[in-house]
Amino acid sequence: MSDHDYRPKSKVGQWFNDRLPLLTLANHLTDYPTPKNLNYWWTFGGILTFCLITQIVTGLTLAMHYIAHADMAFESVEHIMRDVNYGWLIRYIHANGASMFFLAVYIHIFRSLFYGSYKSPREIIWIIGIIIYLLMMAAAFMGYVLPWGQMSFWGATVITNLFSAIPLVGEGIVTWLWGGYSVDNPTLTRFFTLHYLIPFLILGLVVLHIWALHVPGNNNPVGIDIKKPSKDTVPFHPYIVIKDGFALLMFMIVFAFFVFYSPNILGHADNYIEANPMVTPAHIVPEWYLLPFYAILRSVPDKLLGVVAMLSAILILAVLPWLDTSKIRSAVFRPLYRQFYWILVADVLILGYVGAMPAEGLYLLIARVATAYYFLHFLVILPVLGFKEKTLPIPLSITEPVLGGAPNFAMAKKNKSKIE
Amino acid sequence: MKKFLKLFQIVTLLLLINLQSFAAEKVDYLKTDWSFKGLFGKFDRASLQRGYQVYTEVCAACHSMKYLSYRNLAEEGGPEFSVDQAKAIAASFEVVDGPNADGEMFTRPAKLSDKFVMPYENEKAAQAANGGAYPPDMSVLVKARGGGVDYIYSLLQGYEEAPSGITLDEGVHYNKFMYGNKIKMAAPLSDGIVEYGDGTIASVEQMSKDVTSFLMWAAEPHLEARHKMGFKAIVYLIILTTLVYFSMKKIWSRVKSEV
Amino acid sequence: MSEKKTNRRDFLFTATTAVGAVGAAAVVWPMVDQMNPDASVKALASTEVDVSSLKPGNTLTVLWRGKPVFIRRRTKEEIDEARSVKLEDLIHPEKDEDRVKKPEWLVMLGVCTHLGCVPLNDKGDYDGWFCPCHGSHYDTSGRIRKGPAPWNMEIPKYEFVNANTIKIG
């Protein structure tokens, strides 16, 4: 990379760039050397940027018509759906956009898990990512409260009540969160304020996430360090731009099907009933993207420990770079880890499934086993696997794939020491 | 790609199990062919107009539709009454307006811009008049019920004699599609309860279909615009995706690598 | 590399960019149009006003589309004053006859055409209205006579439903 060698061609450009090196930044972003073997799982970073911008733009326009008041919120949403020009379109994009955002972020996270993108030297990228994910959950939860339907109201009640599990100060914190003795107008207005703020925090963190990424450069499916720029890399523009664009368009087709042909399938019918503090719906279910954590929460019979388990399930990810002791990044060269990876994927899907089911009988048993396995994977399997696993030989560079067919342990060792 | 397929299979399987188990909780709803389903689904205007008649002559005695205005009846994509017809419909209702210059409230015939007149002053009054059960507002009723149109359509036709063993309290009725099978609303429809102007025979089945279509439109007044725009958007996206795909192939042909 | 091949590539890229740009533009429109008046605002088109109690020389102010409408029952002198002015003396030449349906009744938007303030009744150098914001004087026909306002006050669409009722809009 030769960032500081860059000089704009025009005089005006030079004058400007000497004072504010925006053109240097633009040049860095277009020339940024990217591994040329990135597969489509790597396109979700771009897709997520698109999701964030879509949510911010549609959210801003919705906020021009929405009224954050307990007596008028539901009505104002109906007003948007019926009377505002293209209001139905903007709201359906925003509501389904949240689901698409989470779909993309889960793929992004699991891509990282498979190819070991969280490992040295990319720990900071990973941790910023986890913070973004937490903020996304907060934003999504508060956004779901705003239409002031039955699920909004009772979801808010249940989730805020989680804080009452904290010993001594719990009740006080919950009252403070509500601004009253139940979820009511003060709660709604503060949730609206925070729902408006959080996306901009996420945006700032995304800048840091990308900045931190551009220091070591992208990981890649082979998981080895590569020289940059070299014959293993291509400039970001046009190669990665067009590829990300293609993947984004495929993603948008799926998105469009939801928005135009089944806009309410991911939502819950009860949220079209206005909030009623006197009646709780028969089944309280969070949005699909929170179901695995909801299952973990319910699988622990103790109130405080349940909350602790749920939070730990997320926070454990932040220390993942130090739990995984293997020096090899990509699961492609880790035959055992690969098996466990798919078991983890299945485990999380099962957790999501039982999270949507009533917490009783067989479902509860499955939830408990799956919860236990979730923690087992991170706390026991990963640390031990790093020492015990016999990894496959890894190539020296992307353009020179593995020599021969048989495992070449000498090579693997050599590469291992190289990475260290 | 194989891995992708494997993952895809797992997800599909889980989704299928999920959907089935949701469906398994419920009775099988009565089916009919809804004209508004599918990629090009549109409302049947005549059916919506008949449905409005059923609503206004039968349902409106107890159920409000507080998010609809009389102007909606003449808007594109709905029952599409003519503006004059909609004005006449509006004028047949009295609304409270005011205060006038003397500070008094007064009644006047409704205008197109007015909201549908409510049967009761407030929710409490509605409860008091209906044995404690609030007849839900029907503006978004179809979207507020799990089974959607099929559920409403079935419920209207689901009244039966209670099977032996089930005792019903005073003012409670048996309906095989209602959650818990007990419903406070008496069977609202009976053959010929309304007289259709277009000569359609007003059977319970026909009225159920008409009024349910009407409620679907009421809950989703821009459904037709959505379907139309959706088709255009997706065709556009497919064209652009194809173009981008070939551009990508071209660009990547400069490097020796597979895309 | 042959020239032909380059051209074809150029065409593909141009087509892709063009199609993409059309789509991007189409997406912008809903985001812009959502700020235009919505269907419920557009529907509030008309109000009916009972003017039976209004005495000559008095003005009634009613709200229509969020703006005040002045309904003035003019006296004989006011009508004569408005009609005796020569068109050449006016900043925005309009005959009084063209501004009223019945000479006795002046119905106009009570909004100063300068920057939107509401002028005061029976004030100013021309016995009509005076805008306190920047000193525009209007005559008994609501025409601008002195000050920064460029046009006469606007006449909305209205009709007499009967002798005592005016429908605005």
Side-chain angles (χ1 to χ4, degrees), chain A residues 345-399:
Chain A
V345 171
D347 187 59
V348 172
L349 290 174
I350 289 166
L351 277 172
Y353 172 69
V354 293
M357 295 291 117
E360 57 199 23
L362 187 60
Y363 291 126
L364 190 59
L365 183 69
I366 296 173
R368 286 186 173 151
V369 173
T371 301
Y373 182 80
Y374 182 88
F375 287 104
L376 188 76
H377 175 90
F378 289 106
L379 292 174
V380 179
I381 295 173
L382 280 189
V384 172
L385 211 55
F387 298 111
K388 300 281 181 204
E389 188 177 25
K390 279 188 181 164
T391 54
L392 301 179
I394 56 175
L396 285 168
S397 78
I398 293 169
T399 34

Side-chain angles (χ1 to χ4, degrees), chain A residues 61 64-65 79 83-86, chain C residues 29-30 33-34 36-40:
Chain A
T61 48
M64 293 181 188
H65 305 282
H79 170 66
D83 293 335
V84 172
N85 304 321
Y86 297 104
Chain C
W29 173 242
D33 191 37
Q34 53 88 18
N36 276 321
D38 65 49
S40 64

Side-chain angles (χ1 to χ4, degrees), chain A residues 225-244:
Chain A
D225 290 323
I226 51 169
K227 265 179 64 189
K228 289 171 293 266
S230 71
K231 60 181 191 300
D232 283 347
T233 67
V234 290
F236 190 78
H237 180 77
Y239 295 95
I240 304 301
V241 169
I242 189 94
K243 193 168 167 177
D244 278 3

Side-chain angles (χ1 to χ4, degrees), chain B residues 14-77:
Chain B
L14 277 169
L15 272 177
L16 280 177
I17 295 168
N18 224 330
L19 290 176
Q20 272 171 359
S21 57
F22 275 130
E25 287 173 24
K26 308 254 162 76
V27 202
D28 281 331
Y29 294 126
L30 303 176
K31 295 271 179 272
T32 187
D33 49 330
W34 300 109
S35 64
F36 46 81
K37 296 244 156 133
L39 287 190
F40 304 101
K42 278 184 182 174
F43 290 113
D44 174 351
R45 309 271 166 247
S47 178
L48 288 189
Q49 296 196 355
R50 291 195 300 267
Y52 172 70
Q53 190 186 344
V54 175
Y55 166 72
T56 200
E57 289 179 17
V58 181
C59 320
C62 303
H63 291 274
S64 60
M65 276 186 121
K66 58 182 173 182
Y67 300 122
L68 272 84
S69 306
Y70 294 108
R71 66 186 158 82
N72 295 138
L73 294 172
E75 278 167 7
E76 204 187 331

Side-chain angles (χ1 to χ4, degrees), chain A residues 9-304:
Chain A
K9 287 196 185 78
S10 74
K11 272 262 163 64
V12 181
Q14 283 175 19
W15 179 87
F16 183 85
N17 204 48
D18 287 345
R19 283 149 185 83
L20 180 68
L22 268 187
L23 295 169
T24 303
L25 178 66
N27 177 257
H28 161 77
L29 291 176
T30 50
D31 282 4
Y32 172 68
T34 319
K36 70 177 186 187
N37 62 336
L38 296 188
N39 56 33
Y40 281 106
W41 299 114
W42 258 268
T43 58
F44 282 86
I47 288 171
L48 283 162
T49 313
F50 163 81
C51 287
L52 178 61
I53 291 167
T54 306
Q55 290 306 87
I56 288 179
V57 171
T58 52
L60 278 173
T61 48
L62 287 173
M64 293 181 188
H65 305 282
Y66 172 74
I67 302 169
H69 189 287
D71 294 342
M72 287 177 275
F74 191 86
E75 190 182 346
S76 73
V77 172
E78 278 307 310
H79 170 66
I80 291 169
M81 292 298 290
R82 290 164 193 277
D83 293 335
V84 172
N85 304 321
Y86 297 104
W88 59 269
L89 174 66
I90 298 171
R91 174 166 176 259
Y92 277 152
I93 292 177
H94 196 73
N96 286 284
S99 280
M100 301 313 287
F101 205 157
F102 275 95
L103 176 68
V105 92
Y106 281 125
I107 295 175
H108 195 62
I109 291 172
F110 275 97
R111 187 269 291 156
S112 195
L113 291 177
F114 188 83
Y115 294 109
S117 301
Y118 49 86
K119 291 186 196 183
S120 170
R122 297 185 181 83
E123 299 95 323
I124 298 293
I125 312 173
W126 172 257
I127 290 169
I128 293 172
I130 296 299
I131 298 171
I132 292 174
Y133 174 50
L134 276 170
L135 285 175
M136 276 175 64
M137 290 201 269
F141 158 66
M142 290 194 238
Y144 197 59
V145 174
L146 302 184
W148 210 241
Q150 275 288 66
M151 276 293 157
S152 301
F153 183 88
W154 292 101
T157 302
V158 168
I159 299 295
T160 47
N161 263 316
L162 290 179
F163 290 90
S164 70
I166 303 167
L168 299 174
V169 292
E171 290 295 333
I173 290 178
V174 173
T175 310
W176 175 74
L177 283 174
W178 289 341
Y181 302 105
S182 67
V183 172
D184 207 337
N185 195 47
T187 327
L188 177 61
T189 45
R190 67 192 57 183
F191 276 19
F192 178 56
T193 311
L194 294 172
H195 181 71
Y196 206 122
L197 167 71
I198 291 174
F200 296 96
L201 297 182
I202 293 178
L203 191 63
L205 284 167
V206 165
V207 171
L208 294 183
H209 193 65
I210 295 171
W211 186 2
L213 168 71
H214 281 223
V215 176
N218 288 72
N219 184 28
N220 64 76
V222 182
I224 54 168
D225 290 323
I226 51 169
K227 265 179 64 189
K228 289 171 293 266
S230 71
K231 60 181 191 300
D232 283 347
T233 67
V234 290
F236 190 78
H237 180 77
Y239 295 95
I240 304 301
V241 169
I242 189 94
K243 193 168 167 177
D244 278 3
F246 172 67
L248 174 61
L249 283 165
M250 300 282 276
F251 183 79
M252 283 166 81
I253 292 174
V254 178
F255 197 158
F257 263 103
F258 277 107
V259 168
F260 292 109
Y261 291 108
S262 43
N264 291 309
I265 202 162
L266 297 168
H268 199 289
D270 278 325
N271 226 28
Y272 278 106
I273 303 173
E274 195 170 356
N276 180 355
M278 314 269 272
V279 184
T280 307
H283 298 287
I284 299 247
V285 192
E287 294 286 80
W288 68 267
Y289 40 79
L290 302 175
L291 286 174
F293 300 106
Y294 193 59
I296 291 175
L297 170 78
R298 295 193 305 181
S299 70
V300 181
D302 181 80
K303 187 174 176 182
L304 177 60

